[in-house]
Amino acid sequence: MPIKRLSIEPLKIPFKQAFVHASAVRTETESVLVTVTNANSVEGIGEGCPRRYVTGETVDSIRRFIEVHREQWMTVTTIQQLRDWATEHTPIIDHNPAAWCAIETACLDLFGKEAGLPIEALLGLPPLRGQFQYLAVLGTDSHQSFAKQFQRYLSVGFTDFKVKVTGRLQDDIDKLTQLASTEDSTIRVRLDANNLWRDTESALSYLKRLPGRLTAIEEPLQVGDYDGCRLLARELKVPIILDESFLRLDQFASIQNDPLSTWVINIRVSKMGGILRSLAVAKRAKEVGIPIIIGAQVGETSVLTRAALTVANSYRDILLAQEGAFGTHLLEQDICKPPLMFGQSGLLDPTVVSERAGLGLVNSKATS
Protein backbone atom coordinates (compact mmCIF):
# COMPACT_ATOMS: atom_id res chain seq x y z
CA MET A 1 0.00 0.00 0.00
CA PRO A 2 1.53 3.38 -0.99
CA ILE A 3 2.72 5.84 1.61
CA LYS A 4 0.22 8.69 2.01
CA ARG A 5 2.12 10.84 4.48
CA LEU A 6 5.76 11.23 5.49
CA SER A 7 6.70 13.53 8.36
CA ILE A 8 9.92 14.45 10.11
CA GLU A 9 10.28 15.76 13.65
CA PRO A 10 13.50 16.82 15.40
CA LEU A 11 13.89 15.20 18.80
CA LYS A 12 15.40 17.25 21.62
CA ILE A 13 14.81 15.19 24.74
CA PRO A 14 16.74 16.38 27.81
CA PHE A 15 19.27 14.05 29.44
CA LYS A 16 19.10 13.33 33.14
CA GLN A 17 22.86 13.86 33.23
CA ALA A 18 25.18 15.57 30.75
CA PHE A 19 27.41 13.22 28.75
CA VAL A 20 30.95 14.40 27.95
CA HIS A 21 33.63 13.00 25.65
CA ALA A 22 36.52 14.29 23.54
CA SER A 23 34.31 15.24 20.57
CA ALA A 24 31.21 16.72 22.22
CA VAL A 25 29.26 17.63 25.34
CA ARG A 26 25.63 16.50 25.22
CA THR A 27 22.73 17.50 27.43
CA GLU A 28 19.89 16.41 25.11
CA THR A 29 19.19 14.19 22.14
CA GLU A 30 20.11 15.31 18.65
CA SER A 31 18.07 13.08 16.37
CA VAL A 32 15.05 12.99 14.10
CA LEU A 33 11.89 10.91 14.12
CA VAL A 34 10.42 9.99 10.74
CA THR A 35 6.85 8.73 10.51
CA VAL A 36 5.36 7.16 7.39
CA THR A 37 1.62 6.51 7.18
CA ASN A 38 -0.39 4.48 4.67
CA ALA A 39 -3.97 4.97 3.48
CA ASN A 40 -5.29 2.88 6.38
CA SER A 41 -3.55 5.15 8.90
CA VAL A 42 -1.01 2.46 9.79
CA GLU A 43 2.23 4.15 10.89
CA GLY A 44 5.87 3.18 10.71
CA ILE A 45 8.53 5.03 12.70
CA GLY A 46 12.25 5.47 12.15
CA GLU A 47 15.06 7.37 13.83
CA GLY A 48 18.32 8.87 12.65
CA CYS A 49 21.07 10.47 14.75
CA PRO A 50 23.08 12.97 12.69
CA ARG A 51 26.59 13.66 13.91
CA ARG A 52 28.65 16.28 12.10
CA TYR A 53 31.92 14.79 13.37
CA VAL A 54 30.95 11.25 12.26
CA THR A 55 29.00 11.50 8.99
CA GLY A 56 28.93 15.25 8.38
CA GLU A 57 25.15 15.37 8.91
CA THR A 58 22.93 17.71 10.89
CA VAL A 59 19.21 17.85 11.59
CA ASP A 60 18.92 20.47 8.85
CA SER A 61 20.78 18.31 6.32
CA ILE A 62 18.38 15.45 7.07
CA ARG A 63 15.45 17.77 6.41
CA ARG A 64 16.93 18.76 3.04
CA PHE A 65 17.63 15.16 2.07
CA ILE A 66 14.07 14.15 2.83
CA GLU A 67 12.50 17.08 1.01
CA VAL A 68 14.55 16.38 -2.13
CA HIS A 69 13.58 12.69 -2.32
CA ARG A 70 10.22 12.60 -0.55
CA GLU A 71 8.05 12.07 -3.63
CA GLN A 72 10.13 9.11 -4.82
CA TRP A 73 9.52 7.23 -1.57
CA MET A 74 5.76 7.75 -1.57
CA THR A 75 5.40 5.00 -4.20
CA VAL A 76 7.62 2.47 -2.40
CA THR A 77 5.46 -0.43 -1.20
CA THR A 78 7.86 -3.41 -0.89
CA ILE A 79 11.22 -4.27 0.62
CA GLN A 80 12.59 -4.95 -2.84
CA GLN A 81 11.65 -1.47 -4.00
CA LEU A 82 13.32 -0.07 -0.88
CA ARG A 83 16.48 -2.09 -1.62
CA ASP A 84 16.44 -1.01 -5.26
CA TRP A 85 16.20 2.67 -4.35
CA ALA A 86 19.09 2.28 -1.89
CA THR A 87 21.25 0.48 -4.46
CA GLU A 88 20.60 3.09 -7.15
CA HIS A 89 21.38 5.92 -4.73
CA THR A 90 24.35 4.43 -2.85
CA PRO A 91 26.62 7.50 -3.26
CA ILE A 92 23.86 9.77 -1.96
CA ILE A 93 23.21 7.53 1.05
CA ASP A 94 26.96 7.40 1.75
CA HIS A 95 26.75 11.13 2.46
CA ASN A 96 23.39 10.95 4.29
CA PRO A 97 23.42 7.66 6.24
CA ALA A 98 21.51 8.84 9.32
CA ALA A 99 18.84 10.41 7.13
CA TRP A 100 18.39 7.21 5.13
CA CYS A 101 18.42 5.16 8.33
CA ALA A 102 15.37 7.06 9.58
CA ILE A 103 13.51 6.57 6.28
CA GLU A 104 14.42 2.92 5.84
CA THR A 105 13.56 1.98 9.43
CA ALA A 106 10.18 3.72 9.22
CA CYS A 107 9.38 1.88 5.97
CA LEU A 108 10.43 -1.50 7.38
CA ASP A 109 8.30 -0.88 10.46
CA LEU A 110 5.33 -0.02 8.24
CA PHE A 111 5.83 -3.01 5.91
CA GLY A 112 6.07 -5.33 8.91
CA LYS A 113 2.84 -3.99 10.35
CA GLU A 114 1.09 -4.33 6.99
CA ALA A 115 2.25 -7.96 6.73
CA GLY A 116 1.62 -8.73 10.40
CA LEU A 117 5.27 -9.79 10.83
CA PRO A 118 8.18 -8.74 13.05
CA ILE A 119 10.91 -7.18 10.92
CA GLU A 120 13.11 -10.26 11.44
CA ALA A 121 10.49 -12.45 9.76
CA LEU A 122 9.93 -9.79 7.11
CA LEU A 123 13.65 -9.87 6.24
CA GLY A 124 14.04 -13.65 6.51
CA LEU A 125 16.22 -13.40 9.63
CA PRO A 126 16.25 -15.45 12.86
CA PRO A 127 13.58 -14.39 15.36
CA LEU A 128 14.70 -12.47 18.45
CA ARG A 129 15.61 -14.98 21.14
CA GLY A 130 17.23 -14.75 24.54
CA GLN A 131 18.60 -11.75 26.36
CA PHE A 132 21.01 -9.11 25.10
CA GLN A 133 23.97 -7.96 27.19
CA TYR A 134 24.89 -4.26 27.17
CA LEU A 135 28.03 -2.55 28.41
CA ALA A 136 28.34 0.50 30.63
CA VAL A 137 29.72 3.77 29.23
CA LEU A 138 31.73 6.10 31.46
CA GLY A 139 32.18 9.63 30.10
CA THR A 140 34.85 12.26 30.75
CA ASP A 141 33.13 13.63 33.84
CA SER A 142 34.83 14.89 37.00
CA HIS A 143 36.58 12.23 39.06
CA GLN A 144 33.86 12.40 41.70
CA SER A 145 31.09 11.99 39.14
CA PHE A 146 33.01 9.20 37.41
CA ALA A 147 33.47 7.31 40.68
CA LYS A 148 29.79 7.64 41.57
CA GLN A 149 28.70 6.44 38.14
CA PHE A 150 31.14 3.52 38.19
CA GLN A 151 29.92 2.35 41.60
CA ARG A 152 26.33 2.64 40.44
CA TYR A 153 27.05 0.40 37.46
CA LEU A 154 28.89 -2.11 39.64
CA SER A 155 26.03 -2.23 42.13
CA VAL A 156 23.59 -3.40 39.45
CA GLY A 157 25.91 -6.03 38.03
CA PHE A 158 27.75 -4.48 35.05
CA THR A 159 31.13 -6.03 34.25
CA ASP A 160 31.87 -4.60 30.78
CA PHE A 161 32.95 -0.94 30.62
CA LYS A 162 33.72 1.55 27.86
CA VAL A 163 35.74 4.48 29.22
CA LYS A 164 36.01 7.77 27.36
CA VAL A 165 39.57 9.15 27.30
CA THR A 166 39.94 12.76 28.45
CA GLY A 167 43.42 13.58 27.14
CA ARG A 168 44.34 14.69 30.67
CA LEU A 169 46.83 12.01 31.64
CA GLN A 170 46.51 12.10 35.41
CA ASP A 171 42.71 12.14 35.22
CA ASP A 172 42.75 9.07 32.97
CA ILE A 173 45.30 7.31 35.20
CA ASP A 174 43.15 7.98 38.28
CA LYS A 175 39.99 6.70 36.62
CA LEU A 176 41.54 3.56 35.20
CA THR A 177 43.28 2.88 38.52
CA GLN A 178 39.86 2.84 40.13
CA LEU A 179 38.61 0.26 37.62
CA ALA A 180 41.79 -1.81 37.98
CA SER A 181 41.53 -1.83 41.78
CA THR A 182 38.28 -3.79 41.84
CA GLU A 183 38.65 -7.40 42.88
CA ASP A 184 36.23 -8.67 40.24
CA SER A 185 38.33 -10.52 37.64
CA THR A 186 35.43 -10.58 35.18
CA ILE A 187 35.52 -6.81 34.60
CA ARG A 188 36.52 -5.82 31.07
CA VAL A 189 37.63 -2.31 30.11
CA ARG A 190 38.05 -0.75 26.70
CA LEU A 191 38.89 2.84 25.87
CA ASP A 192 37.25 5.24 23.44
CA ALA A 193 39.50 8.13 22.45
CA ASN A 194 37.18 9.77 19.88
CA ASN A 195 40.11 10.54 17.51
CA LEU A 196 42.03 12.33 20.24
CA TRP A 197 45.60 12.02 18.91
CA ARG A 198 47.05 13.30 15.65
CA ASP A 199 50.09 11.03 15.53
CA THR A 200 50.93 7.48 16.53
CA GLU A 201 53.89 8.39 18.72
CA SER A 202 51.83 10.65 21.00
CA ALA A 203 49.07 8.06 21.29
CA LEU A 204 51.50 5.25 22.04
CA SER A 205 53.35 7.23 24.70
CA TYR A 206 50.10 8.20 26.41
CA LEU A 207 48.43 4.80 26.26
CA LYS A 208 51.47 2.94 27.58
CA ARG A 209 51.28 4.99 30.78
CA LEU A 210 47.70 3.97 31.58
CA PRO A 211 47.16 1.27 34.24
CA GLY A 212 45.13 -1.91 34.05
CA ARG A 213 44.43 -4.43 31.32
CA LEU A 214 42.62 -3.07 28.27
CA THR A 215 40.63 -5.29 25.95
CA ALA A 216 40.50 -2.81 23.03
CA ILE A 217 40.97 0.85 22.08
CA GLU A 218 38.43 2.70 19.96
CA GLU A 219 39.38 5.40 17.44
CA PRO A 220 42.65 6.59 19.01
CA LEU A 221 43.87 8.48 15.91
CA GLN A 222 42.44 10.73 13.24
CA VAL A 223 39.65 9.30 11.09
CA GLY A 224 40.96 6.88 8.48
CA ASP A 225 44.50 6.51 9.86
CA TYR A 226 44.56 2.74 9.36
CA ASP A 227 48.36 2.55 9.18
CA GLY A 228 48.79 4.32 12.50
CA CYS A 229 46.14 2.13 14.11
CA ARG A 230 47.85 -1.01 12.82
CA LEU A 231 51.03 0.09 14.55
CA LEU A 232 49.18 0.77 17.80
CA ALA A 233 47.49 -2.63 17.69
CA ARG A 234 50.83 -4.32 17.16
CA GLU A 235 52.70 -2.37 19.85
CA LEU A 236 49.96 -2.48 22.49
CA LYS A 237 48.76 -5.99 21.62
CA VAL A 238 45.11 -4.99 21.70
CA PRO A 239 42.65 -4.64 18.80
CA ILE A 240 41.60 -1.26 17.50
CA ILE A 241 37.87 -0.58 17.26
CA LEU A 242 36.87 1.33 14.14
CA ASP A 243 33.89 3.63 14.53
CA GLU A 244 34.17 7.00 12.75
CA SER A 245 36.73 5.31 10.47
CA PHE A 246 34.27 2.68 9.23
CA LEU A 247 30.99 3.79 7.66
CA ARG A 248 30.67 1.79 4.45
CA LEU A 249 31.05 -1.70 3.04
CA ASP A 250 33.79 -0.65 0.62
CA GLN A 251 36.09 0.24 3.53
CA PHE A 252 36.79 -3.46 4.10
CA ALA A 253 39.38 -3.09 1.33
CA SER A 254 41.56 -1.16 3.80
CA ILE A 255 41.49 -3.71 6.63
CA GLN A 256 40.46 -7.19 5.49
CA ASN A 257 44.00 -8.51 4.86
CA ASP A 258 45.38 -7.67 8.31
CA PRO A 259 45.87 -10.20 11.13
CA LEU A 260 42.52 -11.09 12.68
CA SER A 261 43.54 -9.62 16.05
CA THR A 262 43.96 -6.12 14.58
CA TRP A 263 40.40 -4.84 14.20
CA VAL A 264 36.90 -4.72 15.64
CA ILE A 265 34.13 -2.87 13.77
CA ASN A 266 31.65 -0.76 15.70
CA ILE A 267 28.36 -1.01 13.78
CA ARG A 268 26.06 1.82 14.75
CA VAL A 269 22.90 1.47 12.68
CA SER A 270 22.42 5.21 12.18
CA LYS A 271 25.96 5.97 10.97
CA MET A 272 25.92 2.88 8.72
CA GLY A 273 22.77 4.00 6.94
CA GLY A 274 20.13 1.69 8.37
CA ILE A 275 19.43 -1.94 9.16
CA LEU A 276 20.06 -3.37 5.69
CA ARG A 277 23.46 -1.74 5.25
CA SER A 278 24.40 -2.72 8.80
CA LEU A 279 23.48 -6.32 8.09
CA ALA A 280 25.64 -6.25 4.95
CA VAL A 281 28.64 -4.98 6.93
CA ALA A 282 28.12 -7.63 9.63
CA LYS A 283 27.88 -10.33 6.97
CA ARG A 284 31.13 -9.26 5.37
CA ALA A 285 32.84 -8.95 8.76
CA LYS A 286 31.91 -12.55 9.50
CA GLU A 287 33.25 -13.68 6.13
CA VAL A 288 36.67 -12.12 6.74
CA GLY A 289 36.84 -12.99 10.45
CA ILE A 290 36.52 -9.54 12.03
CA PRO A 291 34.42 -9.32 15.23
CA ILE A 292 31.85 -6.58 15.72
CA ILE A 293 30.32 -4.36 18.36
CA ILE A 294 26.77 -3.15 17.88
CA GLY A 295 27.13 0.44 18.98
CA ALA A 296 24.86 3.39 19.60
CA GLN A 297 24.89 7.17 19.42
CA VAL A 298 24.44 8.84 22.79
CA GLY A 299 20.78 9.72 23.21
CA GLU A 300 19.19 7.16 20.91
CA THR A 301 15.58 6.32 21.73
CA SER A 302 13.94 2.89 21.71
CA VAL A 303 13.55 3.05 17.93
CA LEU A 304 17.26 2.71 17.19
CA THR A 305 17.69 0.33 20.12
CA ARG A 306 15.15 -1.95 18.45
CA ALA A 307 16.73 -1.60 15.01
CA ALA A 308 20.12 -2.58 16.45
CA LEU A 309 18.65 -5.75 18.00
CA THR A 310 17.90 -7.07 14.51
CA VAL A 311 21.59 -6.88 13.58
CA ALA A 312 22.92 -8.12 16.93
CA ASN A 313 20.57 -11.07 16.97
CA SER A 314 21.60 -12.16 13.47
CA TYR A 315 25.34 -12.08 14.22
CA ARG A 316 25.69 -13.16 17.83
CA ASP A 317 28.57 -15.45 16.86
CA ILE A 318 30.87 -12.50 16.05
CA LEU A 319 29.36 -10.02 18.54
CA LEU A 320 31.74 -8.83 21.26
CA ALA A 321 29.54 -6.21 22.92
CA GLN A 322 26.46 -4.03 22.62
CA GLU A 323 26.09 -0.35 23.42
CA GLY A 324 23.03 1.78 24.02
CA ALA A 325 19.56 0.79 25.26
CA PHE A 326 19.77 3.49 27.94
CA GLY A 327 16.17 4.58 27.48
CA THR A 328 14.99 6.54 30.51
CA HIS A 329 18.16 5.70 32.44
CA LEU A 330 19.55 8.64 30.43
CA LEU A 331 16.56 10.36 28.78
CA GLU A 332 13.95 12.34 30.68
CA GLN A 333 11.43 10.45 28.56
CA ASP A 334 11.44 8.06 25.62
CA ILE A 335 9.16 8.33 22.60
CA CYS A 336 8.05 4.70 23.06
CA LYS A 337 5.94 3.21 25.79
CA PRO A 338 7.25 1.17 27.47
CA PRO A 339 10.82 2.16 26.58
CA LEU A 340 13.08 -0.61 25.31
CA MET A 341 16.09 -0.53 27.61
CA PHE A 342 18.45 -2.65 29.67
CA GLY A 343 17.73 -3.71 33.22
CA GLN A 344 19.72 -5.45 35.95
CA SER A 345 23.29 -6.34 34.96
CA GLY A 346 22.82 -4.58 31.62
CA LEU A 347 20.50 -7.27 30.28
CA LEU A 348 17.65 -6.51 27.88
CA ASP A 349 14.77 -8.94 27.42
CA PRO A 350 13.22 -8.40 23.95
CA THR A 351 10.02 -10.34 24.71
CA VAL A 352 7.95 -7.15 24.75
CA VAL A 353 8.69 -6.55 21.04
CA SER A 354 9.85 -9.88 19.61
CA GLU A 355 6.43 -11.18 18.55
CA ARG A 356 4.84 -7.91 17.52
CA ALA A 357 4.58 -6.71 13.94
CA GLY A 358 7.19 -4.33 12.56
CA LEU A 359 9.50 -2.97 15.23
CA GLY A 360 6.91 -3.92 17.85
CA LEU A 361 7.10 -0.51 19.52
CA VAL A 362 4.28 1.73 20.69
CA ASN A 363 4.88 5.37 19.75
CA SER A 364 3.74 7.32 22.79
CA LYS A 365 3.84 10.56 20.81
CA ALA A 366 1.14 9.17 18.51
CA THR A 367 -1.06 7.95 21.36
CA SER A 368 -0.73 10.89 23.74
Side-chain angles (χ1 to χ4, degrees):
M1 186 175 295
I3 296 170
K4 292 296 184 184
R5 187 168 63 254
L6 189 160
S7 64
I8 175 174
E9 177 186 355
L11 295 176
K12 289 188 174 295
I13 303 170
F15 290 176
K16 292 180 176 177
Q17 177 181 345
F19 190 86
V20 185
H21 60 77
S23 297
V25 177
R26 299 201 174 277
T27 59
E28 63 183 9
T29 61
E30 183 185 359
S31 57
V32 298
L33 177 70
V34 166
T35 305
V36 294
T37 310
N38 70 12
N40 290 336
S41 298
V42 178
E43 290 186 350
I45 55 175
E47 180 182 5
C49 287
R51 295 292 184 267
R52 188 184 293 276
Y53 58 88
V54 179
T55 66
E57 294 173 279
T58 64
V59 171
D60 286 340
S61 76
I62 290 182
R63 284 185 183 277
R64 291 193 296 270
F65 174 81
I66 290 176
E67 289 310 313
V68 168
H69 301 288
R70 173 192 296 271
E71 293 307 315
Q72 299 172 45
W73 301 325
M74 304 302 277
T75 59
V76 172
T77 59
T78 68
I79 294 175
Q80 189 57 53
Q81 289 175 337
L82 196 67
R83 290 183 188 272
D84 290 344
W85 195 95
T87 299
E88 293 168 9
H89 297 82
T90 295
I92 295 173
I93 294 174
D94 287 347
H95 289 93
N96 299 274
W100 177 245
C101 174
I103 294 294
E104 180 196 86
T105 306
C107 288
L108 291 176
D109 186 30
L110 176 62
F111 298 161
K113 289 174 179 176
E114 289 176 337
L117 297 171
I119 59 171
E120 287 76 24
L122 191 72
L123 297 174
L125 300 171
L128 293 184
R129 290 288 184 269
Q131 294 183 316
F132 294 83
Q133 176 71 63
Y134 286 81
L135 57 77
V137 180
L138 295 167
T140 57
D141 311 80
S142 68
H143 186 68
Q144 182 179 11
S145 177
F146 180 95
K148 183 178 179 180
Q149 192 177 33
F150 175 51
Q151 291 302 320
R152 187 183 306 123
Y153 279 131
L154 281 181
S155 70
V156 295
F158 278 87
T159 59
D160 201 357
F161 293 87
K162 171 178 175 175
V163 180
K164 296 285 188 175
V165 178
T166 67
R168 302 183 298 274
L169 182 60
Q170 192 57 53
D171 282 354
D172 289 335
I173 289 174
D174 291 344
K175 290 174 181 179
L176 289 174
T177 297
Q178 183 175 353
L179 270 71
S181 67
T182 61
E183 298 180 358
D184 189 344
S185 62
T186 65
I187 286 181
R188 299 192 305 165
V189 178
R190 63 181 172 96
L191 300 183
D192 186 359
N194 288 105
N195 313 109
L196 181 61
W197 293 286
R198 294 189 175 277
D199 63 89
T200 309
E201 293 75 17
S202 298
L204 193 59
S205 173
Y206 193 103
L207 292 165
K208 281 186 172 180
R209 298 172 70 181
L210 298 180
R213 186 177 64 86
L214 302 177
T215 60
I217 302 170
E218 185 167 338
E219 290 289 342
L221 301 174
Q222 298 301 286
V223 173
D225 188 355
Y226 300 115
D227 289 339
C229 285
R230 285 187 188 93
L231 177 59
L232 287 180
R234 186 165 62 248
E235 291 292 322
L236 297 172
K237 296 180 174 54
V238 295
I240 301 299
I241 302 170
L242 299 175
D243 184 6
E244 290 89 348
S245 296
F246 203 99
L247 308 177
R248 305 181 307 276
L249 196 62
D250 61 13
Q251 290 174 310
F252 274 106
S254 299
I255 65 170
Q256 63 188 11
N257 296 321
D258 293 313
L260 296 182
S261 60
T262 307
W263 308 112
V264 177
I265 298 173
N266 188 335
I267 298 177
R268 293 193 274 183
V269 174
S270 180
K271 67 143 186 177
M272 288 295 180
I275 294 172
L276 298 179
R277 283 167 59 117
S278 296
L279 287 167
V281 168
K283 180 176 183 291
R284 182 61 180 153
K286 182 175 180 177
E287 290 170 350
V288 300
I290 297 176
I292 63 173
I293 289 168
I294 300 300
Q297 309 284 173
V298 176
E300 290 182 359
T301 74
S302 294
V303 179
L304 276 171
T305 295
R306 175 63 179 92
L309 288 181
T310 300
V311 186
N313 187 66
S314 299
Y315 289 94
R316 286 181 184 262
D317 53 340
I318 61 168
L319 181 65
L320 296 185
Q322 279 182 266
E323 302 172 359
F326 279 91
T328 53
H329 296 306
L330 175 65
L331 307 179
E332 288 289 351
Q333 70 269 345
D334 199 298
I335 62 171
C336 296
K337 186 169 56 177
L340 188 63
M341 62 189 197
F342 61 72
Q344 185 76 16
S345 302
L347 293 171
L348 186 153
D349 184 345
T351 305
V352 68
V353 296
S354 60
E355 302 298 328
R356 293 178 179 172
L359 295 174
L361 299 169
V362 178
N363 181 4
S364 60
K365 296 178 73 67
T367 58
S368 59

